[in-house]
Amino acid sequence: MSDCIFCKIMAGEIPCKKVYEDEEFFAFHDINPIARVHFMIIPKRHVASLQECAAGEEGMLGRLLLLAAKLAKELGLSGFKTAINTGKEGGQVVFHLHVHVYGGGKLAHLE
Ligand code: 5GP
Ligand code: ZN
């Protein structure tokens, strides 16, 4: 997807603070964090949103959540919140599937 911001970040065309990378996933800090720690995990294969995930993506989605817990722990979070905004009405702005992981703060909206 040549016009996708997150694909450009993965390709190194837009700089980011990388958290993690393997064959399937890429994780990086949100440019506009809403908690002391706020990063996102994306699948390397461009999928626009959770609504575009088909049967057969169960494995990828399961590994995505397990990775969220693993990376949160590695970043020192004893607890964390996840969010997957889906579709315009769901508050999704970037149409490349991503899970937000945030924590480490006592921000009002995290309570
Ligand atoms: P959404 O509302 O689609 O779930 O969230 C998209 C997120 O991507 C927002 O939290 C926004 O701050 C983040 N974001 C947008 N553009 C960039 C960027 O160029 N770099 C990084 N690191 N994050 C971005
Ligand atoms: Zn993309």
Side-chain angles (χ1 to χ4, degrees), residues 6 9 28-32 40 85 91-94 98 100:
F6 286 178
I9 285 175
F28 56 104
H29 289 281
D30 198 294
I31 202 167
N32 189 19
M40 294 176 284
N85 298 327
Q92 187 174 7
V93 174
V94 178
H98 52 280
H100 292 266

Side-chain angles (χ1 to χ4, degrees), residues 9-78:
I9 285 175
M10 269 188 295
E13 292 166 25
I14 297 174
C16 75
K17 280 167 66 187
K18 186 163 119 179
V19 170
Y20 175 85
E21 179 174 13
D22 64 23
E23 325 73 54
E24 192 174 25
F25 299 110
F26 191 91
F28 56 104
H29 289 281
D30 198 294
I31 202 167
N32 189 19
I34 61 166
R36 183 175 62 74
V37 176
H38 179 181
F39 63 96
M40 294 176 284
I41 309 173
I42 64 177
K44 285 191 166 175
R45 189 174 67 78
H46 180 94
V47 180
S49 82
L50 195 55
Q51 278 171 330
E52 272 72 36
C53 284
E57 315 262 31
E58 298 94 338
M60 181 276 285
L61 291 168
R63 288 188 292 278
L64 183 60
L65 288 180
L66 290 174
L67 183 59
K70 177 174 179 273
L71 295 180
K73 188 177 180 191
E74 285 177 9
L75 290 178
L77 300 177
S78 55

